[in-house]
Amino acid sequence: MTTNNATLLDQAMNYSDLPDQYVGQAHPALFDDFKFGNQRKARSDVSFGKLKASIAEKGVIQPVVARPSPDNPYRLELLGGYGRRDACLGLELDHIPFLLRQVDDQLAFEIHLAENLEREDLNIVDKAKAAQEYLTLFAGDYKSTALKLNMTVKAVRELLELNKCTDKVLDALRAEKIAPQHAIVLAPFPATRQDKTLELIINENWTVKYLKERAGKALIPLSFAKFDLADCNGCEHNNNAQFGLFDNVDTTAKCGKSECFRAKQSEWLDSHRIAIEERFGKVLLLSESGEKDRNLVSESIVGQEQFAQCTNCESKVIVMSDSFGKEGMLIENQCIDKICFKKCTAAVKPPEVVKDSSSNTTKEKSPAKATKSKAKAKVSTKLVEQHKSVLRQAANTHFGHHSHFALSLTFASLAYATKYTPTSLSSTSSFKELFIFALTTMDEVAIGEEMKKAVAYFLSTTHEVNGYTNVTDLLVDALSSDKQSAMPTILSAWQPSKDNLNLMTIDQIAQFCRDNQIDAALNKTDPSAFDKTIKQSKSKVIDSVMSADIDFTAVAPSTYLDLIQ
């Protein structure tokens, strides 16, 4: 929806100049629909009426979410809050609160999905469509989809079954004329049988239990089977043996055990899906990917050069039908990356079309061509990692006995750890930049000189190593690694000075005394001297501890020693 009756004040604001997370108000007519489409396909008139009444009485409490329009920075593109925007338009309000997000297409799409999903009034049909949309977005990854929807994988699979239902069944489910369990039982059956049975469910008030009983007795023509029928020939549930006893009957064999039929059909579909994936790549089932969640990609749509990239792209998938009677049918060349697809089509010059006067027809003079740089194919992670593994082996062979490579690597490690940077590089150089700099611009003598500078810098200046621990911690770890021989030095280094003891609580000082027999030393003349001491002020406790007749070079607090692992 795009309208132009906004106020002059609203039209004068450049929303691209505002910061991310800005909260403001704008005329509701300034909000255009998100270009990748609103996920909520249907709206309840009752719920929308209640929303309008609430806004009329209380105003809009929760801001809508929008970003600056990519086509016009003086307008906004609505990511979430379509109902509130439409209600405000219907009520002819002159403003609506909004939360501005400065985000790219990909993040905008994810925000849009989340905003439209996290609604109390979202019905189960919309949730099923959302599951389908997320599963397409995640290329069939059920775990990621379940995490987004805050469901189990099993619950997601059950939800997706609803996408096999006819529009009539889904409309009845939205209107709460049937229960979700009714729809799930109907889902595996042909469209005509779903719609006819739906009428009986509503008119005769069938329970889910009764529907399941009827569904279990349904006869399924074996001509629809994709699996091998060898085991069905002698099966007691195959009614073919009964035919021939009567005249003028349909002799088509039917299966009387629908549960068994569907299990075998599903097993065949799984094996067929694996075979197709091995040949062409990723396969999504029709129930897993809605038509609006993907786009056909071809040379005529994105151009010859771009289509060559698309052929190797992980986002180009095949959609396989899992609808009854059409199992295994393929829809090829489907792109599931809406963002990339839109950029590719926007960069294409349409094919030239000329009119043939002799036949009064038109034909393409030249194919579609990309007018901008082509998008790079997203190759599967496994394939990329396999290629990188081979290249690493090549690097091992090439650099294995390369002294200049070894010195460059040593310098980069030392310089990066100590945060030393040669004067000709940026102070925030990465490990890669340091390594390539040494490998390509310095000889071995120059590298040696730079390493000496890096060591000097470490000794005089460095406070942190590799960004996660400071030098003091490094040295403590070094002492820990040689604890047995270093312990005398560790103990003698700590002294019971006022500064050291003052950092401890009285309870900690008391524990230190008990651990190291200092309490016994204080009790030599008076058995209750220690108990009396720790009840005094901290300064007097410290004075008493420091006056104890004990060799402090061999003792230290447990909090100090605990640092030595």
Side-chain angles (χ1 to χ4, degrees):
M1 174 187 294
T2 303
T3 51
N4 297 299
N5 59 338
T7 64
L8 292 175
L9 178 62
D10 288 327
Q11 290 176 330
M13 179 174 288
N14 187 332
Y15 294 102
S16 62
D17 292 337
L18 299 175
D20 187 37
Q21 303 286 350
Y22 172 87
V23 178
Q25 295 192 7
H27 194 286
L30 277 174
F31 294 85
D32 300 331
D33 287 357
F34 184 49
K35 59 186 175 183
F36 296 109
N38 181 18
Q39 181 261 321
R40 296 212 297 163
K41 306 300 185 296
R43 173 184 288 157
S44 166
D45 291 338
V46 174
S47 296
F48 186 60
K50 290 180 179 178
L51 176 64
K52 284 183 68 175
S54 174
I55 290 176
E57 179 185 356
K58 304 174 184 176
V60 178
I61 298 173
Q62 181 182 0
V64 299
V65 182
R67 68 169 180 167
S69 170
D71 302 321
N72 182 354
Y74 293 91
R75 297 188 63 82
L76 292 158
E77 191 174 53
L78 193 61
L79 305 182
Y82 280 69
R84 281 161 280 167
R85 187 274 311 271
D86 293 348
C88 287
L89 285 171
L91 293 168
E92 298 184 348
L93 301 182
D94 58 6
H95 68 273
I96 184 173
F98 69 91
L99 171 65
L100 186 73
R101 297 305 313 271
Q102 297 284 2
V103 292
D104 60 16
D105 286 346
Q106 185 62 45
L107 188 52
F109 184 57
E110 293 178 15
I111 292 172
H112 170 72
L113 289 181
E115 284 288 330
N116 282 287
L117 179 64
E118 295 169 2
R119 294 289 305 261
E120 291 182 2
D121 61 338
L122 200 69
N123 61 60
I124 192 168
V125 178
D126 289 334
K127 288 181 181 178
K129 297 299 182 184
Q132 193 178 56
E133 200 158 6
Y134 271 118
L135 197 63
T136 302
L137 180 66
F138 295 135
D141 186 339
Y142 273 85
K143 288 185 178 179
S144 297
T145 301
L147 189 63
K148 275 288 184 183
L149 298 175
N150 195 26
M151 293 179 174
T152 64
V153 170
K154 180 182 177 182
V156 171
R157 292 188 185 278
E158 290 178 351
L159 198 58
L160 286 168
E161 280 293 300
L162 296 177
N163 293 317
K164 297 178 183 178
C165 294
T166 65
D167 289 341
K168 287 185 178 179
V169 172
L170 294 179
D171 288 342
L173 184 56
R174 282 193 188 95
E176 298 182 358
K177 294 180 180 179
I178 62 173
Q181 292 83 356
H182 283 118
I184 290 174
V185 175
L186 291 174
F189 290 97
T192 53
R193 182 172 291 186
Q194 285 190 42
D195 291 344
K196 287 181 180 179
T197 307
L198 174 66
E199 294 178 10
L200 294 171
I201 293 171
I202 295 174
N203 294 335
E204 299 180 12
N205 197 26
W206 285 10
T207 65
V208 174
K209 181 180 179 181
Y210 181 66
L211 176 61
K212 287 181 177 179
E213 291 175 357
R214 292 291 297 263
K217 297 175 182 178
L219 296 177
I220 302 176
L222 287 175
S223 59
F224 286 115
K226 299 292 185 179
F227 53 87
D228 188 350
L229 294 174
D231 293 339
C232 300
N233 290 331
C235 179
E236 62 178 315
H237 299 289
N238 181 352
N239 69 350
N240 193 41
Q242 303 170 22
F243 296 133
L245 299 177
F246 308 97
D247 295 330
N248 302 319
V249 296
D250 182 4
T251 57
T252 302
K254 295 182 179 180
C255 173
K257 192 175 182 180
S258 59
E259 182 180 351
C260 177
F261 181 94
R262 284 197 291 269
K264 288 184 177 181
Q265 197 85 320
S266 178
E267 184 179 349
W268 175 87
L269 190 65
D270 288 342
S271 63
H272 187 54
R273 181 179 188 174
I274 291 172
I276 296 298
E277 282 192 333
E278 288 178 350
R279 184 175 180 83
F280 297 109
K282 187 67 182 177
V283 172
L284 295 177
L285 297 178
L286 193 59
S287 63
E288 297 173 339
S289 181
E291 187 176 353
K292 294 183 179 180
D293 302 329
R294 45 189 163 80
N295 295 281
L296 173 66
V297 60
S298 66
E299 286 187 6
S300 62
I301 294 174
V302 298
Q304 188 175 15
E305 288 187 38
Q306 179 59 58
F307 187 66
Q309 285 289 321
C310 295
T311 301
N312 296 317
C313 184
E314 197 173 23
S315 293
K316 186 177 79 67
V317 304
I318 285 182
V319 176
M320 178 183 289
S321 175
D322 53 347
S323 298
F324 183 85
K326 298 179 181 179
E327 293 92 342
M329 293 178 63
L330 303 179
I331 307 172
E332 299 183 28
N333 298 330
Q334 299 293 297
C335 175
I336 58 175
D337 189 335
K338 288 187 174 183
I339 311 301
C340 183
F341 179 81
K342 189 172 183 67
K343 290 179 180 177
C344 290
T345 52
V348 171
K349 178 183 179 182
E352 291 185 51
V353 178
V354 294
K355 189 172 183 179
D356 187 341
S357 57
S358 61
S359 60
N360 198 30
T361 59
T362 60
K363 61 181 180 179
E364 289 188 8
K365 180 180 179 181
S366 61
K369 293 183 179 179
T371 58
K372 300 178 183 178
S373 59
K374 56 183 177 292
K376 193 173 181 180
K378 291 183 290 186
V379 184
S380 72
T381 302
K382 287 184 178 179
L383 183 59
V384 170
E385 290 306 313
Q386 192 273 341
H387 288 340
K388 287 183 178 180
S389 176
V390 174
L391 288 172
R392 182 159 186 169
Q393 293 173 19
N396 186 20
T397 301
H398 182 70
F399 293 119
H401 303 286
H402 200 299
S403 60
H404 186 243
F405 177 90
L407 275 173
S408 298
L409 182 62
T410 304
F411 161 73
S413 300
L414 177 61
Y416 187 72
T418 61
K419 297 191 179 339
Y420 168 75
T421 303
T423 53
S424 55
L425 284 180
S426 166
S427 59
T428 57
S429 296
S430 65
F431 176 85
K432 176 182 176 180
E433 290 170 328
L434 291 165
F435 171 63
I436 299 299
F437 171 75
L439 187 66
T440 59
T441 67
M442 293 192 291
D443 58 25
E444 295 183 13
V445 174
I447 292 174
E449 290 300 317
E450 288 293 337
M451 290 174 66
K452 290 179 182 177
K453 294 178 182 178
V455 172
Y457 183 84
F458 171 76
L459 294 172
S460 62
T461 309
T462 301
H463 296 292
E464 293 185 359
V465 176
N466 290 340
Y468 62 87
T469 181
N470 60 35
V471 174
T472 299
D473 288 340
L474 178 65
L475 295 176
V476 170
D477 290 341
L479 287 172
S480 298
S481 67
D482 192 26
K483 179 167 58 176
Q484 187 172 358
S485 60
M487 188 54 69
T489 304
I490 292 170
L491 290 172
S492 63
W494 188 88
Q495 292 296 319
S497 65
K498 287 188 176 181
D499 288 341
N500 285 339
L501 291 174
N502 202 44
L503 293 174
M504 301 165 65
T505 66
I506 293 177
D507 285 347
Q508 288 173 329
I509 295 172
Q511 188 60 49
F512 163 62
C513 292
R514 295 188 188 99
D515 290 343
N516 295 282
Q517 308 300 314
I518 299 173
D519 56 340
L522 291 174
N523 286 337
K524 282 184 179 179
T525 56
D526 180 0
S528 61
F530 178 72
D531 291 337
K532 294 176 182 177
T533 298
I534 60 175
K535 293 178 182 179
Q536 298 177 330
S537 65
K538 183 190 284 189
S539 61
K540 291 184 178 180
V541 172
I542 291 173
D543 289 339
S544 298
V545 171
M546 293 178 63
S547 67
D549 184 14
I550 192 172
D551 181 9
F552 283 104
T553 60
V555 299
S558 58
T559 50
Y560 170 76
L561 296 175
D562 286 345
L563 296 174
I564 305 298
Q565 301 296 326

